[in-house]
Amino acid sequence: FFFFKQKTAYEISACLVGSEMCIRDRVKEGYKILDLVHFFTIGSDEVRSWTIRRGTKAPLAGTVIHSDFEKGFVHVEVIKYQDIVELGSESAIKKKGRFKKEGKDYEVQDGDILHFKINRGKK
């Protein structure tokens, strides 16, 4: 229980009985200790979260979705999570000029919403 090294016995027991806030805090702590971040992809009927190491560049980040994403990487369209919260829609983000297209050197940031553009080549 390395997460609990600075907690009192009372705080630990409160966490172990399932306090939702405590569990969320432990997960955040674990991500920080392991140097992990997550990004999102959005489809017409679903939103998914993907976990990667901090500092991962876009082509490699795409491989958590499918191994072909790195080889066929063209660019990634990036929306910042805070922009969605603030502006509410992709069209509003584009109007404000905050919609970004990034290349192979882009380091994915925690909470990014990504749409990968891939060249699948000829079959």
Side-chain angles (χ1 to χ4, degrees), residues 57-101:
K57 297 197 188 273
L60 187 58
T63 63
V64 300
I65 300 169
H66 194 285
S67 59
D68 289 349
F69 278 31
E70 185 174 23
K71 183 178 177 183
F73 182 84
V74 175
H75 67 265
V76 66
E77 297 171 348
V78 181
I79 296 174
K80 297 296 183 183
Y81 175 79
Q82 191 56 42
D83 289 340
I84 281 286
V85 170
E86 181 183 325
L87 301 172
S89 72
E90 187 176 320
S91 61
I93 290 167
K94 286 180 179 180
K95 283 182 186 175
K96 290 280 190 178
R98 295 187 191 171
F99 183 86
K100 304 290 183 197
K101 287 185 181 179

Side-chain angles (χ1 to χ4, degrees), residues 19-80:
S19 164
E20 186 177 320
M21 181 172 277
C22 184
I23 292 169
R24 188 176 351 168
D25 289 347
R26 299 295 71 87
V27 170
K28 285 181 181 179
E29 237 178 278
Y31 265 63
K32 185 177 179 182
I33 289 168
L34 297 172
D35 209 21
L36 301 174
V37 298
H38 52 276
F39 68 91
F40 300 95
T41 55
I42 300 175
S44 60
D45 61 345
E46 70 180 355
V47 174
R48 288 198 175 193
S49 175
W50 307 90
T51 301
I52 57 172
R53 292 238 180 247
R54 182 176 312 281
T56 301
K57 297 197 188 273
L60 187 58
T63 63
V64 300
I65 300 169
H66 194 285
S67 59
D68 289 349
F69 278 31
E70 185 174 23
K71 183 178 177 183
F73 182 84
V74 175
H75 67 265
V76 66
E77 297 171 348
V78 181
I79 296 174
K80 297 296 183 183

Side-chain angles (χ1 to χ4, degrees), residues 17 35 46 110 119:
V17 297
D35 209 21
E46 70 180 355
D110 193 30
N119 178 0

